[in-house]
């Protein structure tokens, strides 16, 4: 009974500790976890593994193919004896053994070009994996900063509620002292209720943004998991001006999407050479070694003469007589001796010249040319897509800069307006409706400022990625 109690207590303590466990996730942590668990990344890794196997197989195809064969046979009833080539009616057991090999000496360089084709395909698969990792990293960065943004919006809403609560407490004291009408308290309560709804909506958006981040990371969150707000060391006041063309020219040299497309162009060129090789003669070297064993192969001994027999008649018409002997004993020739006596070897060259094969070779060549054209178009499309992405990123960066500057100027103006209005409100020189409007304008300005700051930060991170290929946590 005590053991069961100990186990129960241990389970309760374990569950309590797990519930209290908390993991703080930096941007780098989130990206690294996603890169290890994201399904798209895993699919690209599987495709890379397949391309690696295909390259290895094409290299091994240069080696001879060697096969061994063995059979154990039973013949019943009337059958042909493989040694005497005559009909036999008894049961015969026999074995056949052989080792054969074949190697292609020349086939229009198809094997060599296939190796180059698969090597280019493998390099393209590596770039595909890198492109997928980049996409995942950017998506994680966007989701991460959205979480941080929503956390700050929640904090702004909470501060607004605290300010309104303080004003309500002060107004309640003035009403209790008879120095202010009751409608002021009622208006502040309504304002507090409205701000509470805003806070609840902000918290809901925060939960949804966390859910989106965890799903992108393929992570099952524990209680208390949260992101670490990045340390912003970026100077938002003196940001550089970027040229889309300059960024594109630099990024296009290493862009995995473009490099993958180029490798596929190379692969299609080698595939065309493989197809052309189908018109070439094929020269092969083959050889084999084989032997057989049969129970019908006998060894005879102990001969005895039972008479004479006429072999032939000579030129003078005289018969040539010889003794007629028969064996007195017979036994199946030993297995090893039969294999040695029946050993056969073969080596030969063969050449196959394609003359007409249902137009397959010509169609293969035509299809290979089409593949080259498609690969070229895919490369141009990849270049256009990368250029569009870079141009869009720079345009969004400039727009975010302008939005940040405008939001900063707006919040400064709204803060001064609020300070002046708050002083007048406390002095009883402003009605509550006017003061509430100014206070709400300040709240919207603070929210817009937070949004503008993190949007600009993300646009800076995007430009940073196109310039360096990395996303930092600063």
């Amino acid at each position: 009974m005590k053991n069961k109690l100990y186990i129960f207590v241990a389970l309760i303590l374990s569950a309590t500790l797990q519930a209290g466990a908390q993991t703080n996730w930096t941007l780098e942590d989130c990206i690294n976890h996603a890169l290890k668990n994201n399904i798209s990344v895993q699919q690209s890794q599987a495709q890379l593994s397949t391309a690696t196997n295909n390259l290895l197989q094409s290299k091994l195809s240069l080696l001879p193919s060697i096969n061994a064969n063995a059979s154990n046979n039973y013949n019943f009833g009337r059958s042909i004896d493989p040694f005497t080539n005559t009909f036999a009616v008894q049961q015969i057991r026999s074995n056949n053994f052989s080792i054969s090999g074949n190697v292609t000496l020349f086939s229009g360089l198809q094997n060599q070009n296939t190796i180059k084709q698969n090597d280019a395909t493998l390099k393209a698969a590596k770039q595909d994996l890198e492109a997928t990792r980049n996409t995942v990293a950017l998506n994680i960065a966007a989701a991460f900063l959205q979480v941080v943004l929503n956390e700050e919006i929640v904090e702004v809403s909470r501060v607004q509620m605290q300010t309104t609560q303080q004003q309500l407490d002060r107004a309640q004291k003035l009403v209790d002292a008879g120095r202010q009408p009751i409608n002021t308290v009622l208006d502040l309560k309504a304002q507090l209720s409205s701000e509470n709804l805003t806070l609840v909506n902000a918290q809901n958006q925060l939960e949804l943004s966390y859910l989106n981040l965890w799903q992108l990371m393929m992570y099952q969150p524990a209680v208390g998991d949260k992101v670490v707000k990045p340390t912003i060391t970026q100077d938002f006041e003196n940001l550089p001006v970027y040229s889309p063309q300059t960024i594109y020219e630099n990024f296009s040299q290493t862009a995995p999407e473009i490099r993958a497309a180029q490798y596929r162009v190379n692969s299609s060129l080698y595939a065309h050479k493989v197809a052309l090789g189908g018109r070439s003669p094929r020269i092969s070297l083959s050889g084999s070694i084989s032997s057989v064993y049969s129970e019908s192969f006998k060894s005879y001994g102990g001969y005895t003469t039972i008479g004479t027999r006429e072999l032939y008649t000579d030129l003078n018409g005289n018969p040539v007589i010889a003794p007629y002997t028969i064996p007195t004993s017979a036994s199946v020739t030993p297995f090893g001796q039969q294999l040695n006596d029946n050993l056969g070897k073969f080596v030969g060259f063969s050449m196959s010249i394609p003359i007409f094969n249902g137009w397959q070779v010509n169609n293969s060549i035509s299809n290979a040319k089409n593949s080259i054209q498609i690969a070229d178009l895919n490369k141009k499309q990849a270049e256009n897509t990368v250029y569009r992405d870079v141009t869009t990123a720079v345009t969004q960066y400039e727009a975010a800069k302008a939005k940040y500057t405008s939001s900063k100027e707006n919040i400064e103006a709204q803060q001064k307006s609020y300070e002046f209005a708050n002083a007048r409100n406390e002095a009883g020189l402003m009605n509550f409706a006017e003061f509430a409007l100014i206070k709400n304008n300040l709240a919207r300005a603070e929210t817009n400022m937070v949004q503008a700051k993190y949007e600009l930060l993300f646009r800076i991170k995007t430009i940073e990625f196109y310039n360096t290929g990395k996303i930092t946590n600063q």
Side-chain angles (χ1 to χ4, degrees), residues 206-421:
L206 176 60
E207 292 298 322
L208 290 175
S209 61
Y210 261 116
L211 178 61
N212 181 53
L213 176 62
W214 301 141
Q215 288 178 342
L216 288 175
M217 291 169 55
M218 301 299 295
Y219 173 67
Q220 184 65 38
V223 176
D225 277 352
K226 65 178 182 179
V227 303
V228 178
K229 180 180 177 181
T231 303
I232 302 177
T233 59
Q234 181 69 49
D235 180 11
F236 291 144
E237 303 300 327
N238 299 297
L239 294 174
V241 176
Y242 294 105
S243 167
Q245 187 63 34
T246 301
I247 294 179
Y248 170 75
E249 290 176 355
N250 293 333
F251 182 67
S252 62
Q253 302 300 317
T254 58
E257 297 88 348
I258 296 178
R259 297 185 69 181
Q262 180 58 57
Y263 283 130
R264 286 193 168 86
V265 170
N266 298 341
S267 177
S268 65
L269 292 173
Y270 287 120
H272 180 248
K273 292 182 179 180
V274 172
L276 289 174
R279 291 175 172 172
S280 173
R282 178 182 298 271
I283 302 175
S284 302
L285 170 65
S286 58
S288 67
I289 181 171
S290 62
S291 188
V292 296
Y293 165 82
S294 175
E295 290 180 343
S296 66
F297 190 62
K298 307 290 185 177
S299 294
Y300 300 97
Y303 286 89
T304 183
T305 301
I306 62 173
T308 61
R309 60 176 176 170
E310 183 180 338
L311 297 179
Y312 57 89
T313 303
D314 62 14
L315 296 177
N316 296 321
N318 299 318
V320 177
I321 304 299
Y324 182 69
T325 60
I326 60 172
T328 59
S329 63
S331 62
V332 177
T333 304
F335 185 84
Q337 182 180 342
Q338 285 199 42
L339 292 184
N340 185 63
D341 293 342
N342 298 325
L343 187 65
K345 301 175 183 179
F346 161 79
V347 64
F349 293 89
S350 64
M351 182 173 66
S352 174
I353 302 175
I355 297 177
F356 182 79
N357 294 287
W359 217 250
Q360 292 181 1
V361 174
N362 288 339
N363 282 334
S364 296
I365 294 173
S366 178
N367 291 336
K369 290 181 180 179
N370 292 336
S371 297
I372 294 174
Q373 183 181 7
I374 293 172
D376 281 328
L377 293 174
N378 288 340
K379 180 188 175 184
K380 292 179 181 179
Q381 186 177 38
E383 292 171 343
N384 291 338
T385 300
V386 170
Y387 182 77
R388 182 197 63 198
D389 292 345
V390 170
T391 303
T392 301
V394 174
T395 302
Q396 291 174 335
Y397 164 76
E398 293 296 334
K401 282 170 55 179
K403 182 178 179 180
Y404 176 82
T405 302
S406 177
S407 298
K408 184 179 180 182
E409 294 173 353
N410 182 47
I411 197 172
E412 290 174 354
Q414 295 294 340
Q415 183 67 39
K416 292 179 181 179
S417 176
Y418 172 77
E419 291 173 356
F420 179 72

Side-chain angles (χ1 to χ4, degrees), residues 4 41 71 126 156 204 221 240 244 277 336 347 450 463 470:
K4 292 183 179 179
V41 173
S71 65
K126 290 180 179 178
V156 168
N204 290 337
V347 64
V450 171
I463 297 296
K470 299 179 181 179

Side-chain angles (χ1 to χ4, degrees), residues 31 34-35 38 40-41 131-141 216:
I31 291 176
L35 293 179
N38 184 268
S40 296
V41 173
T132 302
R133 291 168 62 91
N134 290 343
T135 300
V136 170
L138 286 174
N139 291 339
I140 291 295
L216 288 175

